Amino acid sequence: QVQLVESGGGLVQAGGSLRLSCAASGRTSRDYAMGWFRQAPGKEREFVAAISWSIGVTSYADSVKGRFTLSRDNARDTVYLQMNSLRPEDTAVYYCVATYRLIAPRKSNEYDYWGQGTQVTVSS
């Protein structure tokens, strides 16, 4: 059973930066993907970014490409989401996700493990 623990959310002004962290435990395979989804009030959950762990390939939603960067620490089994040039529309609860797949999917129903969520609020 994989457990995910998120940290790093908060309140920031538009144009500012935040870094989210997600530490995983209990992983049993290198064919593994981790990433982030977000959900704003009244909106559907949406893909943000993900990494295919064993091959190190990342993918991003178009809405965050060029502003957000996903990285990993192999030794700590942790992923980081560096969020720069934040906008009010980035305000949401951000969820760390994981699944045993070689290639990181972009659909929420293809992820088996979810963190508890962390709030990111961007003020205008």
Side-chain angles (χ1 to χ4, degrees):
Q1 183 77 1
V2 175
Q3 292 187 322
L4 305 172
V5 179
E6 303 140 334
S7 60
L11 172 65
V12 65
Q13 288 188 332
S17 298
L18 282 174
R19 189 176 82 155
L20 305 183
S21 301
C22 177
S25 60
R27 182 162 65 97
T28 60
S29 171
R30 281 181 53 83
D31 290 343
Y32 183 78
M34 286 183 71
W36 296 88
F37 280 74
R38 66 186 183 185
Q39 188 166 21
K43 295 189 176 181
E44 292 188 357
R45 197 165 290 183
E46 65 173 348
F47 172 79
V48 176
I51 183 167
S52 305
W53 198 272
S54 62
I55 59 176
V57 173
T58 53
S59 62
Y60 297 92
D62 287 344
S63 59
V64 306
K65 203 171 291 184
R67 300 188 297 123
F68 291 11
T69 303
L70 186 66
S71 61
R72 64 178 176 179
D73 182 330
N74 285 327
R76 291 183 170 82
D77 221 359
T78 297
V79 293
Y80 304 96
L81 185 67
Q82 178 66 43
M83 305 185 293
N84 298 328
S85 302
L86 282 161
R87 304 166 180 169
E89 54 264 39
D90 294 317
T91 295
V93 176
Y94 284 70
Y95 296 91
C96 180
V97 296
T99 186
Y100 286 112
R101 293 173 186 259
L102 177 62
I103 304 298
R106 299 168 72 99
K107 295 181 179 180
S108 60
N109 61 3
E110 295 187 66
Y111 284 89
D112 301 304
Y113 305 100
W114 290 73
Q116 78 281 5
T118 185
Q119 177 71 45
V120 171
T121 303
V122 184
S123 63
S124 57

